[in-house]
Amino acid sequence: MSHKKGIETRLAHEGEDRLAHQGAVVPPLYQNSLFVFRDWDDIDAAFADRTARPIYTRLTNPTTLLAEQKIAALAGDGYACRLTASGMGAVSAAVMNSVSQGDHIVAVKNIYGPTNNFINRYLAGKMGISVTFVPGDDPAQFAAAITDRTRLIMLESPSSAVFGLQDIPAVVAIAKKHGIRTMIDNTWATPLWQRCLDMGVDIEVHSCSKYLGGHSDIVGGAIVARPEVIHDIIVNESELLGATIAPQTSWLLIRSLRTLPMRLRSHAESARNVAEFLETHPAVKRVYWPGLESHPQYALARRQLKGFTGLMGFTLATTDLTRIKAFVNALEIFQIGVSWGGHESLVYAPAISYLRDLPPERFSDLGISLGDIRISVGLETVGDLLADLGQALEKAV
Ligand SMILES: Cc1ncc(COP(=O)(O)O)c(C=O)c1O
């Protein structure tokens, strides 16, 4: 068929040869560390490209290869994928592949916390890497931060903390002018809604523990880039640092990817209902979700994103900690938890973390508020989610 297949069809069938596996509709799980060879010449031929044929699961595994093929197809044509043991496994491998001792990184300020700690604390101490953080809402900030040691620009758009966006093509143009590699954490949008590599970004990373997995039953990560970049990461960071995904996790991910488009459409629709409900509620001061026209970068969001997902933030109107706690504790369907992107609705208050080290009076110095709330809108009946938020918000008035 010359017709170009849609992404739902590709996620369902890409790379699968069912008749080669007794007609099994679900691909077999190669739950093994090792693969054996017919003779000397056979293993010698396998070593000619350690990434192509399974030798040992730290490098390659057929179940993982199948999941990688599907994620590469999701990201666009002509790309390759490497799966890792977690999202941080993907971030650390991609960064290590991009910088050497003494190099400089420009990163967006609200990048995921452990990513920030990895480049700014861990690599700074061990490899003398320096980092300049920029707010990211104006591409000129990146241009101004570049030095002759800058090797990497790190984006996260929208950021999962404050939902700020970067103008991806504009930052890519600046980076290309200086020969600097760009990397983006695309976990929030997934490649279904945001085609970063097609916009010119060199490396895209994901936590598969969020929407790509979608069932809150796996921890994994993905790096997607041109095949030569992925090959280099496999034979260096994957082999040497060893944060390899487990075959069973890849197998569960293959299951998850089949329903990604329909899950994301449902998350997007429910999230819009929830965001609009919150925006008009008197107990809510402000809602942070790039799909709302009130979002300061709404025009950029419409240009760059093909859709929106279920993680959003809002600030309660009250600054009374007792009422803020009462709101969180009154929620029945939204459960208290730190992750997001799964089937279940979740709530988290950043103050739970900040109050451990910071008195409430200092919150405004950091641009945060005691009443900041983060929710992950899941796949439950949206009317139930609105009713749950409505009854809990009465405790915050
Ligand atoms: C935006 C973002 N990137 C990366 C990660 C790290 O992923 P993992 O927990 O799979 O290591 C997370 C986890 O919360 C995240 O929110």
Side-chain angles (χ1 to χ4, degrees), residues 85-91 111-112 114-115 156 158-161 185-188 205-210 218-221 311 338-340 374:
S86 67
M88 280 311 296
V91 168
I111 208 150
Y112 176 59
T115 301
E156 185 180 318
S159 76
S160 58
D185 186 328
N186 195 19
T187 302
W188 188 89
V205 292
H206 294 273
S207 167
C208 300
S209 328
K210 314 294 187 246
I218 62 170
V219 171
L311 185 74
V338 291
S339 193
W340 48 278
R374 191 182 79 170

